[in-house]
Amino acid sequence: MSTILTIEKIRKRYGEVEALADVSLTVQGGEFFTLLGPSGCGKTTLLRCVAGFLRPDAGRILCNGERLDTLPAHLRDIGMVFQNYAIFPHLTVFENVAYGLRARRVPPAELRHRAIEALRLVQMEPLADRRPDQLSGGQQQRVALARAMAIRPRLLLMDEPLSNLDAKLRVEMRTEIRRLQRDLGITTIYVTHDQEEALAISERLAVINAGRVEQVGFPWDVYQAPTSAFVAQFIGTSNALRGTVVGTEGEWARVEIGGWMLRARRAGVAAGQVLAVFRPEAVELLPEGGNIPGATLGEGVVANREFLGAILRYRLRLADGSLIHLDEHKPDPARLRKEGERVRFAVRPNDVMLFPADG
Amino acid sequence: MRNRWDIWTSVTGIAFALLAVLLIIPLGRLLWASLLGDDGGFTLKHYRAFLAYPYYSRTIGHSFLVSGLVTLAALVVAVPVAFLLARVDIPGKAVLKSLAILPLVSPPFIGAYSWILLFGRAGYVTTLLQNVGLTIPTVYGMHGIVLALTLNLYPFVLLMVAGALQALDQSLEEAAQGLGSRPWRVFWTVTVPVTMPSVLGGALLVFLTAFADFGAPMIIGEGYQVLPTIVYSLFVNEMGGNPAMASTGATLLVLCTTAILLVQYWAVSRKRYAMTQHRPAPPVRPRPLVRGLLTGCAYLVIGLSLVPALVVVVTSFFESRGPVLYPNFSLGNYREVLFNVPRAIANSFVLSSVSTLLDVLLGTLIAYLVVRRRSLTTAALDSCVMIPYAIPGTVIGVAFIVAFNKPPIVLTGTFLILLLAYFVRRLPYSVRAGSAILHQIDPSVEEASISLGVSPLKSFAKVTARLMLPGIVSGGILTWVQTITEISATIFLYFGAWSTITVVIYRQVSSSNFGSAAAASTILLVAVFIPVLMVNWMMGERAVTAV
């Protein structure tokens, strides 16, 4: 795979607000690349800069080595799927899909063939003559997708395309979008604030926060080896406790958290105030008198519990009042812990990540 | 793209240039004329004179009194009917609401003329009662103006309040009930405060329109002068007119209307309740007797406001000799009008069509700029373009004469001066109609077109303008209707061959040619009612907001 899109030090300000601060990224040909971040982080601004609806204050965008940012939006040959679909309400489904082809003066026979083909891909061929107001949200979404793909764009941009669908349809559609993208090999940049969606669908993703790229990587890297406290807390559920490094032993650091001593991987941070982050699934409930060699043991009171199907999630209140999540997989109904019950747990030092506390 | 010349930059430039020439210069010249002494120096003596002589100064009081009474009467008539239409199951409600729009678009001077036909010196009712030995006071003067204007303007309140009541979510009143309020208390603590902005908004609109109206007081007021009519009298005085005093009166008039508009702005914009949901309360269906009574009331009120149109239409088919009408069917009045003043009728249609077309064209582009290209410049444009809204036709008339009767721009006596006056007066309405519909169109639809490879300008035309079309068309029709019924500026600006149908009606009424006046009025009313009913049918209730 070769680099198709290069974003170089893009900067964009709105008055006093820095929407994008020197953002640089590269996207490979045929890749499904996601921009993930909380609302207002700048991900949509970045996408709109690539689409040509916004002009960056500084920086360059290159596509296959040629300047993209100096080109007007309608000459960029980039397909876009909008959050609210942006279907042309006055045109039929077929005409919506044919719109971009007509702009390209595709001959009638080929136009028909390509539009129908695009509709077939999203299983909307039978509804080609419908008017948009007769379509459900999911169907409009499919038309928007077909319309963007029909022009065979060099890049497909998707701006939170699933956020207006209900939860079940959202999961179905994301699988389908990914399948289509893979089959057609269209390089896709996908914007979402939903980290679960991003992990499920992306080949690679960039976590964006406050106009900056926090981390770029494969989904499992971003989940398992976050490079910043923000990423660690934004992706998945995390326990984040403030503490102080009081000593080190080899590759381990000892962190004092409200009187509790936690052992953690040193990895970079070795002194001072730290944020100790570990996943709920890294916390293990211990039976009476149980022990895990090398792990930090702790004690807490069950504040509440949530049954989430595959897992049972406890919230434990520690001695200093802070709360942590604990996930139990395949919970045994006979051994449920009640609210208010005192429990013992263990955290393996390898599962604890340390970040500078001011982050 | 920013920082680059495009068509929108030129549109902004053209819009500002037009507003400068058609608004800023005339108003500036008007003010200047009112401050110019005989020696060519600055003086306040015209203002002193205007305020010192009761002959002038009382017209200010008259204007406020008439508008106040009209507003009050409109509230008394309209608010109960609004509640009936919104909350009671009345048969034929939709038709009633459509009919209620008709008085709004029929020019008040036709209403005034019709009341003269009924209750004037030789009116049908007056004569009828005289024959049985009864004498009633004539309809001329203040009460006549109030009567005519009230029945013309109360639908503003009616439609706005009925709209607010329908937009009032049922759960709001249910919540109040659930919290233990009695129905009467619910009404006073929830329904009234929430509909108050609409009541106030409608009332101020009535006040402003009544204040600026020239036609009704001119026709039915006789000696009772209000600000717009005194300005006209000062201008066309047999002694050659007094442009300085007329300009002074016009300036005072525009100061008053601006003040009223500011009050309206302040009162309405501060208090607007956004309804998150929309589930109107179902209409109640009272016992048959009560229902019949309430239905009768609603029909009576709306029927009463349609009486003028009916009287005029019927009269137009009577045989006539001057002010004397004979109840025999005849097309003589139409023959007379069509033979004597075909040019005026054609003028009216052509002038209002062309000026409406220009309004729609520029108004749509300005609306797009204001809504989609937000910047300090377009915000300024938005404010400037709304100025004509505060300026009565009378003031436009005087200001255009003062500004364009000597070089560098001489327009007086041409059709262009009428066209431009109409154009600038109605431009705000087109901009509002355009921006209202534009707010309902998602910007991303246009972006989708651009991303599919269609240039921004073409995308605007193929997508946005196309989607704006229903709003543009209905806004255009309403603009057209308002333009063809224009009299207050026309009366100053028309010249010889460029007379219009409204001027013809006014002249015929003044010279007591009641028959041909009725025929001309009927032609005008038909020309106005048909498109309005069509828009109403096309747009449903949304049409109301654009009137």
Side-chain angles (χ1 to χ4, degrees), chain A residues 18 48 52 54 130 135 197 219 233 273 303 305 316 321 354:
Chain A
E18 190 145 59
R48 292 173 65 78
L54 285 176
R130 290 278 180 92
L135 302 181
E197 190 173 290
Q233 290 177 85
Q273 295 280 312
R305 59 163 199 248
L316 304 181
L354 295 185

Side-chain angles (χ1 to χ4, degrees), chain A residues 9 124 220 224 246 266 278 282 296 303 316 339:
Chain A
K9 296 195 171 175
M124 285 293 289
W220 49 89
Q224 289 175 339
V246 292
R266 257 170 65 178
F278 49 97
T296 308
L316 304 181
E339 282 175 20

